[in-house]
Amino acid sequence: MPALHKGRFTPNNAYDVAVVGGGIHGLSMALEACKRGLSVILIQGNDLASGASGIQRGLFGGGFQSLSQLNLTAVKANFSALKKWHENHANSAAPVCANLIANHSLRSAKLVKTGLAIYHRLAGSSADLCRNYSREAFATPYLAYTLRPARRILDIATEARALGADIFPYTRVNTAIRQKNCWQLTVNSSLGSNTNSVNVNAKMLINCCGWLANTFLIDVLGVVSRAKAHARKAGLIYVSGPLDAPPLPLTLQANNKQFISMLAVTPQHYVIGPFSYEDLGDSKQSALAALQTLLSDQLGEQFSQWVKTIHIDEIKWINYAQVSDPSGGVHRGDFLQDSILDLNNPKGGAPLLNVFGIDIAKHTNLAQQGFNILAPFSRECSSHVVPLTNKNTTPPTAFNNPIISRWQTTYAQGVNRLLKDANLTCNSTVEDFGVHFGEDLYQCEVDYLIRYEWAITAEDILWRRGDWGPWFPESGKQMLADYLAQLT
């Protein structure tokens, strides 16, 4: 069993592939490299899933923007990717019938009805979920998926590690020198007591730094890419309120045409967004006023009292990338709706693949396309080797304890490892779980997250490995931070 520690930085001297960036596209690239028989190191400056792809919460579907542009191929592809995600990883993706509150000042009721009919036809059999849905008087049902991208990222990382990937969060590339046959990197880690720089060579380098992609290119690599990632700032609002909320999940459209989702995390806790920074202002007071105005306008009198009594617990800001085409457009209308893979290989030097990933649902396809581009530089890249999986086909054990049932839903087969390490059985009670930090978080789960899911700080656990973040008691946060600080 791995020791309980805050992290170890022990990379090899040489790899086939070095991936920089620990979001969904970076981890997918690392996993794809492993599947093709390549050795890989992944380097992430902060925690895994701490960037835009991991923080996102909301409803994902075929894409209303693509639908409005009559890009029906994109809508169908989005549904296909989401369906595959759910079928293979149900703990991080689930189809739901959501409520759409149409903004008829932007689109007529007839246009919305026609558009959703096309939308559901493109969704195929998945849309059956909404066929017999009890319709609300003020909303229209539509098919969407609730995603937990951070959970998916951690599951990808776990699978990649099992196939041999070396994954190091809280680690940075300080310098990078391109040679003819490899990249020479100096890498520094803040894990544990080892803060010295280490030299690592890699035949191929993949840049998956998201909105920081061009910063990494210019400041560290000294390279200019044909595409550019422009940072945009958006906020997710974590709200508490009474139980008489409108039927969730729901989506509404602001007057600026932005779609806003609202999900219930617990019966009285909700996450709403994304909002642009300009819409919310600099304070919780201004954000609350903007939110209440939007909800009052869209929800109507029926939920006016609920809207008046909600309050903001937290605003989580996201920096995410919008990508302009190689011509260098910077206006909103010039931003691309699809991802870009940009190969940089001047004068036969070691290859650099820049990944400007936009659509998180298509992370697997994007990784496969990336290594198809890199195929000329490595014999292994040309053949997609899918290793045998160790999926357990036996029915899952039924647990009477709701906390253990949550572990099973969240960690899938990892629950067996959690129980074994903590000497627990299906009949164990909370008294056997160790220190209680707050809510339903206990020591045995924290130990599991440190050993197997790269958790280092209290924020790593509360925000990215669970939904406790904005509502966790302050005393519990301090207890958790103190417990983590004593581990070496």
Side-chain angles (χ1 to χ4, degrees):
M1 181 178 72
L4 195 61
H5 57 78
K6 289 184 68 176
R8 294 173 177 171
F9 182 54
T10 54
N12 298 326
N13 294 324
Y15 295 87
D16 294 316
V17 181
V19 179
V20 181
I24 198 164
H25 296 297
L27 266 304
S28 297
M29 288 288 172
L31 178 58
E32 185 67 18
C34 293
K35 288 182 176 181
R36 298 192 184 215
L38 301 170
S39 59
V40 60
I41 180 174
L42 183 136
I43 300 162
Q44 161 68 5
N46 299 303
D47 185 25
L48 302 180
S50 59
S53 63
I55 295 174
Q56 291 186 58
R57 293 295 299 272
L59 295 171
F60 298 78
F64 287 145
Q65 187 166 1
S66 296
L67 182 67
S68 66
Q69 297 170 349
L70 297 181
N71 188 349
L72 305 187
T73 300
V75 175
K76 190 171 183 178
N78 288 336
F79 274 126
S80 177
L82 288 166
K83 182 179 180 181
K84 185 176 181 180
W85 184 340
H86 167 64
E87 290 174 346
N88 295 329
H89 309 281
N91 65 331
S92 57
V96 296
C97 192
N99 288 300
L100 173 65
I101 301 177
N103 189 333
H104 294 307
S105 66
L106 299 175
R107 292 180 177 87
S108 68
K110 183 177 181 180
L111 186 60
V112 170
K113 182 178 180 181
T114 302
L116 284 178
I118 298 172
Y119 177 90
H120 285 137
R121 187 174 183 85
L122 294 170
S125 59
S126 299
D128 292 343
L129 182 67
C130 296
R131 302 284 187 219
N132 299 316
Y133 185 77
S134 178
R135 176 171 176 167
E136 299 292 334
F138 63 94
T140 303
Y142 81 100
L143 176 68
Y145 284 76
T146 59
L147 302 183
R148 298 184 64 195
R151 171 47 40 199
R152 178 72 185 118
I153 291 169
L154 291 163
D155 287 346
I156 295 171
T158 300
E159 187 175 353
R161 178 177 57 192
L163 296 176
D166 285 341
I167 297 172
F168 297 109
Y170 292 98
T171 305
R172 296 182 182 275
V173 177
N174 294 328
T175 64
I177 300 174
R178 192 203 304 253
Q179 302 291 344
K180 182 176 182 180
N181 297 317
C182 73
W183 285 89
Q184 295 178 342
L185 311 176
T186 58
V187 184
N188 179 269
S189 175
S190 59
L191 295 177
S193 59
N194 185 355
T195 58
N196 296 323
S197 294
V198 176
N199 296 322
V200 174
N201 291 344
K203 296 177 183 177
M204 296 175 279
L205 180 62
I206 301 178
N207 170 18
C208 293
C209 292
W211 67 279
L212 288 171
N214 293 101
T215 301
F216 176 68
L217 282 168
I218 295 171
D219 293 353
V220 180
L221 304 184
V223 173
V224 177
S225 171
R226 293 176 297 170
K228 287 182 171 57
H230 304 273
R232 303 289 296 179
K233 195 170 185 178
L236 293 177
I237 301 181
Y238 291 83
V239 172
S240 294
L243 290 171
D244 55 344
L248 302 178
L250 65 79
T251 296
L252 48 86
Q253 190 176 20
N255 290 330
N256 63 0
K257 298 185 178 181
Q258 186 173 4
F259 287 99
I260 309 295
S261 298
M262 182 171 175
L263 301 172
V265 180
T266 74
Q268 289 183 267
H269 296 132
Y270 319 98
V271 58
I272 309 175
F275 293 90
S276 67
Y277 179 77
E278 296 78 9
D279 291 339
L280 296 185
D282 294 323
S283 67
K284 282 188 178 181
Q285 290 78 11
S286 63
L288 179 60
L291 176 63
Q292 288 179 325
T293 298
L294 172 67
L295 293 177
S296 295
D297 291 345
Q298 297 291 313
L299 295 177
E301 186 64 29
Q302 182 179 357
F303 298 101
S304 60
Q305 189 59 38
W306 179 85
V307 170
K308 292 177 183 178
T309 52
I310 62 173
H311 64 273
I312 294 177
D313 298 295
E314 186 85 31
I315 301 176
K316 199 71 171 178
W317 292 105
I318 305 169
N319 284 312
Y320 68 98
Q322 286 189 307
V323 181
S324 61
D325 60 25
S327 66
V330 295
H331 300 293
R332 181 182 295 273
D334 295 327
F335 290 134
L336 302 178
Q337 301 302 316
D338 209 348
S339 302
I340 290 181
L341 295 168
D342 177 38
L343 178 64
N344 182 278
N345 177 231
K347 299 179 181 180
L352 164 67
L353 183 66
N354 297 303
V355 180
F356 297 91
I358 297 174
D359 190 344
I360 65 173
K362 298 175 184 173
H363 56 276
T364 300
N365 291 341
L366 190 65
Q368 292 170 357
Q369 293 168 15
F371 276 94
N372 289 341
I373 291 173
L374 291 170
F377 304 97
S378 175
R379 183 178 61 186
E380 289 84 354
C381 280
S382 62
S383 59
H384 186 184
V385 180
V386 180
L388 294 175
T389 60
N390 295 317
K391 288 186 177 181
N392 190 343
T393 57
T394 58
T397 304
F399 296 106
N400 294 324
N401 189 301
I403 296 178
I404 300 180
S405 295
R406 178 181 63 77
W407 295 343
Q408 185 181 47
T409 300
T410 303
Y411 307 120
Q413 295 303 315
V415 69
N416 298 323
R417 183 178 287 169
L418 192 162
L419 295 174
K420 181 179 178 181
D421 288 356
N423 295 316
L424 301 175
T425 70
C426 58
N427 296 318
S428 297
T429 64
V430 293
E431 286 76 17
D432 306 312
F433 294 172
V435 177
H436 181 213
F437 296 102
E439 300 290 332
D440 60 350
L441 181 63
Y442 288 81
Q443 179 183 344
C444 58
E445 184 174 9
V446 171
D447 290 351
Y448 171 85
L449 294 173
I450 297 169
R451 287 190 178 109
Y452 302 110
E453 293 204 351
W454 298 273
I456 304 292
T457 70
E459 178 157 325
D460 295 349
I461 292 172
L462 298 178
W463 280 96
R464 289 176 285 280
R465 287 155 185 82
D467 290 319
W468 303 286
W471 305 294
F472 206 74
E474 290 298 325
S475 59
K477 291 179 184 178
Q478 189 60 53
M479 285 177 59
L480 180 59
D482 292 344
Y483 179 73
L484 294 168
Q486 72 180 354
L487 303 176
T488 58

